[in-house]
Amino acid sequence: MMLSLFPLGWEHYLTGGLLIGAGVSLLFILTGWVGGMSTVFTSTWSYVSRRPFFQQGRFVETRVWRLVFALGLVLGAAIWWIWIGPAGGLRTGIPLWQLGVGGLLVGFGARQSNGCTSGHGICGLSSLQWPSLMAVLTFMATGFITANVVLRSEERRV
């Protein structure tokens, strides 16, 4: 059963989860800042858009450390790829337009729920925030339903 759930092993998932948890915990303990990624996106827009929404103090005053935070995620992924990642590139059979539509829906959902899965799931739940629990349950239910709808439609095509 474990091999079917984790064909590449489970250890790296545990290690990654512990590192992410330690990172956001340290960020909060040392600075009081919550490390969610959707706010990184919004605060970055404060550089290019003069619309009042993007010029709010909570975005403008935190945009530098949020960009450093995002850069750390990108560099961490690059280090992982170089050090223990798979050889060559990864490919998906999903058409580009579906990836684009999925990205738009995820972005819209993150904005509507006032945060993304990382912000609510890692930071919000660990600080026992009721809205984060509701957001995570909604994210999970939507993901389960979507996966089953896609699976069933694929089975009918075959």
Side-chain angles (χ1 to χ4, degrees), residues 2-36:
M2 285 294 279
L3 188 58
S4 67
L5 290 174
F6 304 103
L8 301 176
W10 57 270
E11 296 86 357
H12 60 286
Y13 295 110
L14 177 62
T15 303
L18 291 172
L19 288 172
I20 290 169
V24 296
S25 295
L26 281 173
L27 178 67
F28 185 74
I29 289 168
L30 297 175
T31 66
W33 296 332
V34 177

Side-chain angles (χ1 to χ4, degrees), residues 37 67-82:
M37 290 310 298
L67 283 175
V68 171
F69 183 66
L71 179 63
L73 291 174
V74 172
L75 288 176
I79 290 168
W80 170 84
W81 192 277
I82 292 166

Side-chain angles (χ1 to χ4, degrees), residues 42-110:
T42 305
S43 66
T44 302
W45 272 100
S46 70
Y47 283 113
V48 294
S49 175
R50 297 291 164 220
R51 298 183 70 94
F53 176 78
F54 296 110
Q55 295 305 312
Q56 295 177 59
R58 65 185 176 132
F59 300 134
V60 174
E61 294 164 9
T62 63
R63 62 187 177 189
V64 173
W65 78 260
R66 290 185 187 282
L67 283 175
V68 171
F69 183 66
L71 179 63
L73 291 174
V74 172
L75 288 176
I79 290 168
W80 170 84
W81 192 277
I82 292 166
W83 189 28
I84 59 173
L90 296 176
R91 301 205 190 304
T92 181
I94 299 171
L96 189 58
W97 72 269
Q98 285 180 341
L99 292 172
V101 169
L104 289 172
L105 290 173
V106 167
F108 178 76

Side-chain angles (χ1 to χ4, degrees), residues 74-157:
V74 172
L75 288 176
I79 290 168
W80 170 84
W81 192 277
I82 292 166
W83 189 28
I84 59 173
L90 296 176
R91 301 205 190 304
T92 181
I94 299 171
L96 189 58
W97 72 269
Q98 285 180 341
L99 292 172
V101 169
L104 289 172
L105 290 173
V106 167
F108 178 76
R111 191 58 11 232
Q112 292 301 308
S113 66
N114 200 27
C116 60
T117 53
S118 63
H120 284 299
I122 298 167
C123 303
L125 289 180
S126 65
S127 60
L128 304 176
Q129 294 183 21
W130 179 254
S132 289
L133 176 61
M134 293 295 98
V136 169
L137 291 175
T138 301
F139 293 151
M140 295 302 292
T142 303
F144 293 148
I145 291 167
T146 302
N148 280 287
V149 166
V150 169
L151 180 66
R152 303 238 189 285
S153 69
E154 290 294 322
E155 287 174 350
R156 277 186 282 212
R157 273 198 264 171

